[in-house]
Amino acid sequence: MALRAAVIGLGIGRLHADRLAAMEGVELAAVADLDAALAEQVGTACGAAAYADGGGLLAREELDFVSICTNPATHLSFTRRAAAGGVHVICEKPMAPTLEDCDGMIEACRQAGVLLMVAQKKRFEPAYRFIREQSAADFGPVRWAAATYALGRVAKPWFWAEEDGGGPLHENAVHMMDILRFLMGDVERVYAEGGNLFNPDYPAQVDAAAITLRFAGGGVAAVGAGQASEWGFATEHVCFSHDNAVAEVDGPFDAPSRLRYVLKGREEATVEREFADFDPFRAELEHFADCVREQRQPLVPGEEGRASVAVCLAVKESVRTGRVVRL
Ligand SMILES: NC(=O)c1ccc[n+]([C@@H]2O[C@H](COP(=O)([O-])OP(=O)(O)OC[C@H]3O[C@@H](n4cnc5c(N)ncnc54)[C@H](O)[C@@H]3O)[C@@H](O)[C@H]2O)c1
Protein backbone atom coordinates (compact mmCIF):
# COMPACT_ATOMS: atom_id res chain seq x y z
CA MET A 1 0.00 0.00 0.00
CA ALA A 2 1.19 3.51 -0.80
CA LEU A 3 2.62 5.59 2.06
CA ARG A 4 0.44 8.60 2.87
CA ALA A 5 2.52 11.78 3.03
CA ALA A 6 1.94 15.50 3.59
CA VAL A 7 3.91 18.72 3.24
CA ILE A 8 3.60 21.69 5.62
CA GLY A 9 4.93 25.01 4.28
CA LEU A 10 4.93 25.60 0.53
CA GLY A 11 7.94 27.81 -0.16
CA ILE A 12 10.66 25.25 -0.82
CA GLY A 13 7.97 22.78 0.28
CA ARG A 14 6.42 23.25 -3.14
CA LEU A 15 9.34 21.21 -4.52
CA HIS A 16 8.77 18.54 -1.86
CA ALA A 17 5.08 18.39 -2.82
CA ASP A 18 5.89 18.02 -6.53
CA ARG A 19 8.40 15.23 -5.85
CA LEU A 20 6.09 13.34 -3.48
CA ALA A 21 3.09 13.65 -5.82
CA ALA A 22 5.16 12.01 -8.59
CA MET A 23 6.75 9.32 -6.42
CA GLU A 24 5.91 5.66 -6.85
CA GLY A 25 4.65 4.02 -3.67
CA VAL A 26 3.72 7.37 -2.09
CA GLU A 27 0.41 9.21 -2.05
CA LEU A 28 0.65 12.93 -1.36
CA ALA A 29 -2.48 13.15 0.79
CA ALA A 30 -2.34 16.81 1.91
CA VAL A 31 -0.46 20.09 1.84
CA ALA A 32 -0.71 23.14 4.11
CA ASP A 33 0.32 26.77 4.05
CA LEU A 34 -0.83 29.85 5.96
CA ASP A 35 -1.40 31.31 2.50
CA ALA A 36 -4.66 29.48 1.82
CA ALA A 37 -4.67 30.38 -1.88
CA LEU A 38 -1.18 28.90 -2.29
CA ALA A 39 -2.24 25.74 -0.45
CA GLU A 40 -5.28 25.41 -2.74
CA GLN A 41 -3.18 25.95 -5.85
CA VAL A 42 -0.55 23.36 -4.88
CA GLY A 43 -3.20 20.95 -3.58
CA THR A 44 -5.08 21.12 -6.89
CA ALA A 45 -1.90 20.74 -8.95
CA CYS A 46 -0.77 17.73 -6.88
CA GLY A 47 -4.14 16.09 -6.28
CA ALA A 48 -3.89 16.59 -2.51
CA ALA A 49 -6.18 18.04 0.16
CA ALA A 50 -5.31 21.66 1.05
CA TYR A 51 -5.15 23.20 4.54
CA ALA A 52 -4.49 26.78 5.64
CA ASP A 53 -2.64 25.60 8.75
CA GLY A 54 -0.21 22.77 9.43
CA GLY A 55 -1.78 22.00 12.81
CA GLY A 56 -5.18 21.40 11.21
CA LEU A 57 -3.59 19.10 8.64
CA LEU A 58 -1.89 17.01 11.32
CA ALA A 59 -5.09 16.85 13.39
CA ARG A 60 -7.21 15.58 10.51
CA GLU A 61 -5.07 13.49 8.19
CA GLU A 62 -4.01 9.85 8.67
CA LEU A 63 -0.36 9.92 7.59
CA ASP A 64 2.74 7.77 7.46
CA PHE A 65 5.10 10.74 7.18
CA VAL A 66 5.18 14.50 6.95
CA SER A 67 7.70 16.86 5.41
CA ILE A 68 8.07 20.01 7.53
CA CYS A 69 9.10 22.91 5.29
CA THR A 70 8.22 25.92 7.43
CA ASN A 71 10.59 28.45 9.02
CA PRO A 72 12.97 26.87 11.58
CA ALA A 73 11.31 28.34 14.70
CA THR A 74 8.25 26.17 13.96
CA HIS A 75 10.11 22.88 13.41
CA LEU A 76 9.92 21.77 17.05
CA SER A 77 6.17 22.27 17.49
CA PHE A 78 5.28 20.55 14.21
CA THR A 79 7.66 17.68 14.98
CA ARG A 80 6.08 17.21 18.41
CA ARG A 81 2.57 17.18 16.97
CA ALA A 82 3.49 14.77 14.20
CA ALA A 83 5.38 12.43 16.54
CA ALA A 84 2.50 12.42 19.04
CA GLY A 85 0.28 11.16 16.22
CA GLY A 86 2.75 8.40 15.25
CA VAL A 87 3.80 10.21 12.05
CA HIS A 88 7.42 9.95 10.83
CA VAL A 89 9.14 13.30 10.22
CA ILE A 90 11.45 14.65 7.55
CA CYS A 91 12.27 18.27 8.38
CA GLU A 92 13.99 20.91 6.27
CA LYS A 93 17.37 22.26 7.39
CA PRO A 94 18.46 23.97 9.56
CA MET A 95 16.99 21.55 12.06
CA ALA A 96 16.09 24.38 14.48
CA PRO A 97 17.32 27.74 15.82
CA THR A 98 18.67 26.29 19.11
CA LEU A 99 20.17 23.05 20.41
CA GLU A 100 17.32 22.90 22.95
CA ASP A 101 14.80 22.77 20.09
CA CYS A 102 16.90 20.08 18.34
CA ASP A 103 16.92 18.04 21.56
CA GLY A 104 13.14 18.46 21.86
CA MET A 105 12.67 17.14 18.33
CA ILE A 106 14.96 14.15 18.91
CA GLU A 107 13.26 13.31 22.20
CA ALA A 108 9.71 13.63 20.83
CA CYS A 109 10.51 11.24 17.97
CA ARG A 110 12.41 8.83 20.22
CA GLN A 111 9.54 8.64 22.70
CA ALA A 112 6.97 8.11 19.95
CA GLY A 113 9.13 5.56 18.12
CA VAL A 114 8.98 7.51 14.83
CA LEU A 115 11.84 8.31 12.45
CA LEU A 116 13.31 11.79 12.25
CA MET A 117 15.44 12.95 9.31
CA VAL A 118 16.86 16.40 8.66
CA ALA A 119 16.81 17.27 4.96
CA GLN A 120 20.53 17.99 4.54
CA LYS A 121 20.36 17.45 0.81
CA LYS A 122 24.09 17.70 0.05
CA ARG A 123 24.66 14.24 1.51
CA PHE A 124 22.86 12.91 -1.56
CA GLU A 125 24.86 14.88 -4.17
CA PRO A 126 26.76 12.33 -6.33
CA ALA A 127 30.03 14.32 -6.35
CA TYR A 128 30.18 14.45 -2.54
CA ARG A 129 29.07 10.83 -2.26
CA PHE A 130 31.96 9.89 -4.53
CA ILE A 131 34.39 11.74 -2.23
CA ARG A 132 32.99 9.89 0.77
CA GLU A 133 33.18 6.46 -0.88
CA GLN A 134 36.73 7.04 -2.12
CA SER A 135 37.82 8.35 1.30
CA ALA A 136 37.09 4.89 2.63
CA ALA A 137 38.91 3.31 -0.34
CA ASP A 138 41.84 4.52 -2.52
CA PHE A 139 41.85 8.23 -1.63
CA GLY A 140 42.20 7.82 2.13
CA PRO A 141 40.71 10.29 4.62
CA VAL A 142 40.26 13.98 3.82
CA ARG A 143 42.97 15.85 5.79
CA TRP A 144 42.35 19.34 4.39
CA ALA A 145 39.48 21.15 2.71
CA ALA A 146 38.87 24.68 1.45
CA ALA A 147 35.36 25.79 0.53
CA THR A 148 33.72 28.83 -1.04
CA TYR A 149 30.01 28.88 -0.29
CA ALA A 150 28.61 32.42 -0.42
CA LEU A 151 25.02 33.12 -1.37
CA GLY A 152 23.04 36.12 -2.63
CA ARG A 153 20.51 38.23 -0.74
CA VAL A 154 17.49 36.73 1.02
CA ALA A 155 14.81 39.24 2.04
CA LYS A 156 12.69 37.02 4.33
CA PRO A 157 12.54 38.50 7.86
CA TRP A 158 12.58 35.07 9.56
CA PHE A 159 15.84 34.24 7.74
CA TRP A 160 17.61 37.07 9.62
CA ALA A 161 16.07 36.60 13.07
CA GLU A 162 18.42 35.01 15.61
CA GLU A 163 15.51 33.10 17.19
CA ASP A 164 14.40 31.69 13.78
CA GLY A 165 16.60 31.27 10.69
CA GLY A 166 19.60 32.80 12.45
CA GLY A 167 20.95 34.54 9.33
CA PRO A 168 23.13 33.23 6.47
CA LEU A 169 25.65 31.48 8.72
CA HIS A 170 22.95 29.38 10.35
CA GLU A 171 20.13 29.06 7.82
CA ASN A 172 22.41 28.50 4.89
CA ALA A 173 26.01 27.67 5.85
CA VAL A 174 24.56 24.68 7.72
CA HIS A 175 24.61 22.92 4.31
CA MET A 176 28.40 23.30 4.07
CA MET A 177 29.00 22.46 7.74
CA ASP A 178 26.93 19.33 7.32
CA ILE A 179 28.68 18.09 4.20
CA LEU A 180 32.13 18.75 5.72
CA ARG A 181 31.07 16.81 8.83
CA PHE A 182 29.78 14.00 6.60
CA LEU A 183 33.14 13.82 4.82
CA MET A 184 35.58 14.69 7.63
CA GLY A 185 33.84 13.68 10.87
CA ASP A 186 32.98 15.58 14.03
CA VAL A 187 34.17 19.15 14.48
CA GLU A 188 36.28 19.71 17.58
CA ARG A 189 36.83 23.48 17.47
CA VAL A 190 35.92 26.55 15.45
CA TYR A 191 37.48 29.96 14.94
CA ALA A 192 35.80 32.54 12.69
CA GLU A 193 36.26 36.17 11.74
CA GLY A 194 33.30 38.01 10.30
CA GLY A 195 30.51 40.39 11.16
CA ASN A 196 27.68 42.37 9.66
CA LEU A 197 29.59 43.28 6.53
CA PHE A 198 26.92 43.79 3.87
CA ASN A 199 23.46 44.05 5.44
CA PRO A 200 22.94 47.18 7.54
CA ASP A 201 19.18 46.43 7.43
CA TYR A 202 19.86 43.52 9.77
CA PRO A 203 22.58 44.99 12.02
CA ALA A 204 22.28 42.35 14.74
CA GLN A 205 23.09 39.48 12.39
CA VAL A 206 26.47 38.11 11.38
CA ASP A 207 26.08 37.96 7.60
CA ALA A 208 29.47 36.67 6.38
CA ALA A 209 32.55 35.02 7.81
CA ALA A 210 35.90 33.37 7.14
CA ILE A 211 35.78 30.16 9.17
CA THR A 212 38.39 27.63 10.26
CA LEU A 213 37.41 24.19 11.53
CA ARG A 214 39.50 21.57 13.32
CA PHE A 215 38.05 18.06 13.17
CA ALA A 216 38.33 15.46 15.91
CA GLY A 217 40.07 13.13 13.45
CA GLY A 218 42.82 15.71 12.88
CA GLY A 219 41.63 17.25 9.60
CA VAL A 220 41.27 20.98 9.02
CA ALA A 221 39.01 23.09 6.80
CA ALA A 222 38.65 26.73 5.78
CA VAL A 223 35.25 27.99 4.65
CA GLY A 224 34.19 31.35 3.20
CA ALA A 225 30.43 31.55 3.77
CA GLY A 226 27.54 33.91 4.24
CA GLN A 227 25.70 36.52 2.19
CA ALA A 228 28.76 37.73 0.29
CA SER A 229 27.77 37.04 -3.30
CA GLU A 230 25.02 37.66 -5.86
CA TRP A 231 22.50 35.10 -7.10
CA GLY A 232 23.43 33.99 -10.62
CA PHE A 233 27.09 34.61 -9.88
CA ALA A 234 27.40 32.56 -6.70
CA THR A 235 29.32 29.29 -6.93
CA GLU A 236 30.00 26.33 -4.71
CA HIS A 237 33.61 25.20 -4.77
CA VAL A 238 35.32 22.76 -2.42
CA CYS A 239 38.89 21.42 -2.69
CA PHE A 240 39.81 18.27 -0.78
CA SER A 241 43.24 16.88 -0.06
CA HIS A 242 43.25 13.24 0.99
CA ASP A 243 46.22 11.06 1.93
CA ASN A 244 46.43 9.73 -1.62
CA ALA A 245 44.43 12.08 -3.85
CA VAL A 246 43.31 15.63 -4.44
CA ALA A 247 39.75 16.40 -5.56
CA GLU A 248 37.53 19.36 -6.35
CA VAL A 249 33.75 19.65 -6.38
CA ASP A 250 32.21 22.71 -7.98
CA GLY A 251 29.33 24.21 -9.89
CA PRO A 252 26.70 26.90 -9.46
CA PHE A 253 25.65 27.60 -5.87
CA ASP A 254 23.83 24.55 -4.47
CA ALA A 255 24.24 22.62 -7.73
CA PRO A 256 27.81 21.23 -7.46
CA SER A 257 27.70 18.96 -10.47
CA ARG A 258 31.39 18.90 -11.47
CA LEU A 259 34.03 16.65 -9.94
CA ARG A 260 37.77 16.54 -10.71
CA TYR A 261 40.29 14.31 -9.01
CA VAL A 262 43.73 12.82 -9.37
CA LEU A 263 45.78 10.37 -7.35
CA LYS A 264 48.86 12.04 -5.83
CA GLY A 265 51.93 11.43 -7.96
CA ARG A 266 49.78 10.72 -11.03
CA GLU A 267 49.03 14.28 -12.26
CA GLU A 268 48.86 13.15 -15.86
CA ALA A 269 45.74 11.09 -15.05
CA THR A 270 43.26 13.72 -13.86
CA VAL A 271 39.67 12.50 -14.08
CA GLU A 272 36.75 14.87 -14.73
CA ARG A 273 33.11 13.92 -14.24
CA GLU A 274 29.84 15.79 -14.61
CA PHE A 275 26.68 14.79 -12.75
CA ALA A 276 24.04 16.64 -14.75
CA ASP A 277 20.37 17.00 -13.79
CA PHE A 278 20.68 15.49 -10.33
CA ASP A 279 17.64 16.27 -8.16
CA PRO A 280 18.64 16.28 -4.46
CA PHE A 281 15.06 16.85 -3.28
CA ARG A 282 13.81 13.75 -5.03
CA ALA A 283 16.79 11.76 -3.76
CA GLU A 284 16.35 12.72 -0.10
CA LEU A 285 12.57 12.17 -0.17
CA GLU A 286 12.91 8.78 -1.90
CA HIS A 287 15.49 7.81 0.70
CA PHE A 288 13.20 8.81 3.56
CA ALA A 289 10.21 6.97 2.07
CA ASP A 290 12.42 3.85 1.82
CA CYS A 291 13.46 4.27 5.46
CA VAL A 292 9.81 4.53 6.55
CA ARG A 293 8.90 1.45 4.52
CA GLU A 294 11.83 -0.56 5.87
CA GLN A 295 11.79 1.00 9.36
CA ARG A 296 15.48 1.90 9.23
CA GLN A 297 17.46 4.94 10.33
CA PRO A 298 17.84 7.65 7.67
CA LEU A 299 21.17 9.02 6.47
CA VAL A 300 20.68 12.25 8.46
CA PRO A 301 19.03 11.37 11.78
CA GLY A 302 18.19 14.15 14.26
CA GLU A 303 21.52 13.80 16.06
CA GLU A 304 23.38 14.62 12.83
CA GLY A 305 21.16 17.62 12.09
CA ARG A 306 21.79 18.84 15.64
CA ALA A 307 25.58 18.47 15.33
CA SER A 308 25.61 20.61 12.17
CA VAL A 309 23.49 23.28 13.89
CA ALA A 310 26.00 23.23 16.78
CA VAL A 311 28.84 24.10 14.36
CA CYS A 312 26.85 27.05 12.95
CA LEU A 313 26.13 28.36 16.44
CA ALA A 314 29.84 28.02 17.28
CA VAL A 315 30.78 29.99 14.14
CA LYS A 316 28.59 32.91 15.20
CA GLU A 317 29.78 32.71 18.81
CA SER A 318 33.39 32.82 17.64
CA VAL A 319 32.71 35.88 15.43
CA ARG A 320 30.95 37.65 18.29
CA THR A 321 33.47 36.83 21.03
CA GLY A 322 36.70 36.73 19.02
CA ARG A 323 37.47 33.37 20.66
CA VAL A 324 38.05 29.78 19.59
CA VAL A 325 34.88 27.78 20.40
CA ARG A 326 35.20 24.12 21.38
CA LEU A 327 32.34 21.73 20.68
N1 LIG B 1 17.13 22.46 1.26
C1 LIG B 1 17.13 23.62 0.64
O1 LIG B 1 17.81 23.82 -0.35
C2 LIG B 1 16.26 24.74 1.17
C3 LIG B 1 16.00 25.84 0.37
C4 LIG B 1 15.18 26.85 0.88
C5 LIG B 1 14.68 26.74 2.17
N2 LIG B 1 15.00 25.67 2.94
C6 LIG B 1 14.48 25.54 4.32
O2 LIG B 1 13.07 25.29 4.25
C7 LIG B 1 12.40 25.96 5.32
C8 LIG B 1 11.40 26.95 4.70
O3 LIG B 1 12.10 27.89 3.91
P1 LIG B 1 11.38 28.68 2.70
O4 LIG B 1 12.47 29.38 1.98
O5 LIG B 1 10.52 27.75 1.96
O6 LIG B 1 10.52 29.71 3.53
P2 LIG B 1 9.24 30.50 3.03
O7 LIG B 1 9.02 31.57 4.04
O8 LIG B 1 9.38 30.87 1.60
O9 LIG B 1 8.08 29.41 3.09
C9 LIG B 1 7.65 28.87 4.30
C10 LIG B 1 6.16 28.68 4.19
O10 LIG B 1 5.70 28.07 5.41
C11 LIG B 1 4.40 28.59 5.65
N3 LIG B 1 4.03 28.40 7.05
C12 LIG B 1 4.56 28.98 8.16
N4 LIG B 1 3.89 28.58 9.27
C13 LIG B 1 2.93 27.72 8.86
C14 LIG B 1 1.90 27.00 9.52
N5 LIG B 1 1.71 27.11 10.84
N6 LIG B 1 1.09 26.20 8.79
C15 LIG B 1 1.24 26.12 7.43
N7 LIG B 1 2.19 26.80 6.75
C16 LIG B 1 3.01 27.60 7.45
C17 LIG B 1 4.48 30.06 5.25
O11 LIG B 1 3.21 30.60 4.97
C18 LIG B 1 5.40 30.00 4.03
O12 LIG B 1 4.69 29.99 2.82
C19 LIG B 1 13.50 26.62 6.15
O13 LIG B 1 13.88 25.76 7.19
C20 LIG B 1 14.63 26.80 5.14
O14 LIG B 1 15.90 26.87 5.74
C21 LIG B 1 15.75 24.66 2.45
Side-chain angles (χ1 to χ4, degrees), residues 3 115 286-297:
L3 296 173
L115 300 177
E286 272 174 354
H287 168 75
F288 189 65
D290 285 345
C291 290
V292 169
R293 238 175 251 118
E294 296 159 19
Q295 288 294 298
R296 64 178 159 89
Q297 275 300 315

Side-chain angles (χ1 to χ4, degrees), residues 178-195:
D178 187 72
I179 197 63
L180 290 175
R181 289 188 52 261
F182 188 54
L183 298 175
M184 299 177 73
D186 287 337
V187 173
E188 190 175 81
R189 60 179 193 257
V190 174
Y191 178 68
E193 290 284 356

Side-chain angles (χ1 to χ4, degrees), residues 46-63:
C46 294
Y51 291 82
D53 165 44
L57 181 156
L58 289 172
R60 278 182 222 113
E61 292 288 335
E62 285 277 320
L63 299 171

Side-chain angles (χ1 to χ4, degrees), residues 119-140:
Q120 295 287 174
K121 65 181 181 184
K122 289 201 186 302
R123 292 192 184 204
F124 297 86
E125 288 283 353
Y128 289 127
R129 292 195 74 99
F130 180 87
I131 299 281
R132 182 166 157 105
E133 281 156 21
Q134 291 306 310
S135 297
D138 296 2
F139 287 13

Side-chain angles (χ1 to χ4, degrees), residues 238-254:
V238 192
C239 301
F240 298 99
S241 191
H242 304 248
D243 281 351
N244 307 317
V246 284
E248 269 182 15
V249 173
D250 80 339
F253 188 82
D254 258 2

